[in-house]
Amino acid sequence: MIFYQQDGELERLGKQLLDRLWIQYPLLARNQLALTWWVYDPPYMVNTGGALAPADFWAHPVRGFSYRGVERIYPASVVKLFYAVAVQEWLEKGMISPTEEVDRALHDAIVNSSNDATSYLVDVLSGTTSGPELPAGPFETWQQQRQIVNRYLQSFGWEEFQTINVCQKTWGDGPYGRERVFLAADYSNRNYLTTDAVARLLHAIAGGVAVSAARSQMLMNLLARSLDPATVASLDPDYNQVTGFLGEGLPPTTRLWSKAGWMSRVRWDCAYVEPVDGRPFGLVVAIDAPLGDRDRSILPQIAHGALEAVRSLENPEPSR
């Protein structure tokens, strides 16, 4: 069962948002976008600092809307959120030891979206390293070890995780040696996520039930993004996960926790949002389109539309 309840009101608002999007961006094809949007109704059982037990949190209904939310799409750096949760699980269970380097890599992977930091974390999680091609036997063992995060995620038993693949490092120039072989000749073993899968994981983190309340809060601290204009302007363009992403479409007073991902083919963002004048909501958007069809204003426009829709829930238009 998916974590959100399908809802007629959100479906109407979501379809209105998409209809406006297709008009504004005619080059964006219908099959180049995926979206999952969910809204928290009062009383707000989220971002409580872990005040709720997991059973109580999961028993509380959440309304949601999805457009192609089950489509498998290459996630770019959004996959780093899944590795960060796995690292917290390994630390919680004593499977790895806490070190300054692990802390530094977690910070750099999420806050700055560092590929080098992520590579280190994948090594820590799996006990593997990159390098030259391996003989058949050792390579089979190496591949089994590299699937450990997938096995962990499948152990959740969540419907949203059934089709995802989380086992590859993220790259700048690309993989070489055993890493390239592991991808398969046709790249069929690359990372894949769905917007529904990312949404459920982010919902769990914001709810304080990812690994533990304390570790969920550690993840929330890493995901926090300031929308203060001066702060955003000071960000290194290589690390800016606000401009051109969902955060750009929100007022500066909005509280935002997010993780973006981008490369030549895809542009993702996932966000938990607390407006000052509306109920909290979550939003995950993936655009899978060539650069020529991918305007950097699309994600901000979707965030703005979702915020306006959430505001309308507080002040519905009178019936006529």
Side-chain angles (χ1 to χ4, degrees):
M1 180 183 296
I2 57 176
F3 78 94
Y4 57 86
Q5 297 179 350
Q6 295 182 343
D7 174 78
E9 185 176 31
L10 289 191
E11 183 173 2
R12 176 181 61 83
L13 292 169
K15 288 182 176 178
Q16 286 179 356
L17 187 158
L18 289 174
D19 286 343
R20 291 192 296 268
L21 197 72
W22 306 136
I23 294 171
Q24 189 170 357
Y25 300 98
L27 291 179
L28 186 68
R30 304 299 197 270
N31 65 350
Q32 292 176 332
L33 178 79
L35 176 152
T36 303
W37 173 46
W38 66 106
V39 176
Y40 296 98
D41 297 313
Y44 304 134
M45 315 287 276
V46 69
N47 202 13
T48 62
L52 292 176
D56 294 332
F57 175 75
W58 290 116
H60 193 73
V62 178
R63 294 189 291 162
F65 166 78
S66 175
Y67 175 75
R68 301 181 70 244
V70 298
E71 294 296 323
R72 299 170 78 238
I73 300 171
Y74 177 70
S77 291
V78 169
V79 76
K80 295 167 184 176
L81 184 61
F82 288 72
Y83 290 137
V85 171
V87 168
Q88 296 294 351
E89 179 76 26
W90 273 226
L91 289 166
E92 184 78 4
K93 297 292 177 59
M95 296 165 62
I96 59 176
S97 299
T99 68
E100 290 184 4
E101 282 301 280
V102 169
D103 288 345
R104 186 169 73 96
L106 275 171
H107 174 277
D108 291 352
I110 300 300
V111 176
N112 299 330
S113 206
S114 165
N115 290 330
D116 290 344
T118 306
S119 176
Y120 168 75
L121 292 176
V122 171
D123 288 345
V124 168
L125 287 165
S126 63
T128 64
T129 57
S130 303
E133 296 91 323
L134 291 168
F139 187 50
E140 179 63 30
T141 301
W142 185 94
Q143 292 181 88
Q144 286 294 319
Q145 289 176 254
R146 279 292 289 273
Q147 291 289 351
I148 191 169
V149 176
N150 269 330
R151 291 192 291 272
Y152 164 62
L153 296 171
Q154 292 304 317
S155 74
F156 289 22
W158 292 352
E159 179 179 329
E160 296 91 342
F161 283 6
Q162 289 180 0
T163 63
I164 66 175
N165 190 40
V166 178
C167 62
Q168 301 289 350
K169 295 182 175 183
T170 54
W171 302 98
D173 293 336
Y176 293 86
R178 68 191 68 165
E179 298 285 355
R180 178 62 187 89
V181 177
F182 185 48
L183 271 171
D186 60 355
Y187 287 80
S188 58
N189 194 35
R190 72 191 317 186
N191 290 329
Y192 283 106
L193 291 173
T194 68
T195 59
D196 276 359
V198 177
R200 181 149 194 179
L201 188 66
L202 187 56
H203 174 60
I205 293 169
V209 297
V211 183
S212 69
R215 296 201 177 274
S216 291
Q217 191 57 55
M218 292 177 188
L219 291 164
M220 288 290 280
N221 293 342
L222 293 172
L223 292 167
R225 310 276 173 197
S226 172
L227 297 182
D228 172 70
T231 301
V232 174
S234 70
L235 294 173
D236 186 321
D238 292 336
Y239 302 139
N240 188 335
Q241 297 181 66
V242 173
T243 305
F245 296 99
L246 296 175
E248 184 182 337
L250 302 170
T253 53
T254 308
R255 300 181 71 196
L256 173 70
W257 293 260
S258 70
K259 180 69 193 81
W262 64 99
M263 47 87 75
S264 60
R265 177 79 199 186
V266 300
R267 194 169 185 84
W268 280 74
D269 202 3
C270 63
Y272 166 70
V273 181
E274 290 186 353
V276 295
D277 56 352
R279 59 193 72 192
F281 67 93
L283 182 62
V284 182
V285 184
I287 301 171
D288 184 2
L291 283 173
D293 297 347
R294 206 175 71 223
D295 191 310
R296 285 171 59 91
S297 69
I298 296 175
L299 289 175
Q301 191 63 40
I302 291 173
H304 176 75
L307 176 62
E308 290 301 307
V310 168
R311 285 172 170 165
S312 75
L313 298 175
E314 306 295 334
N315 300 293
E317 294 183 3
S319 59
R320 294 181 173 86

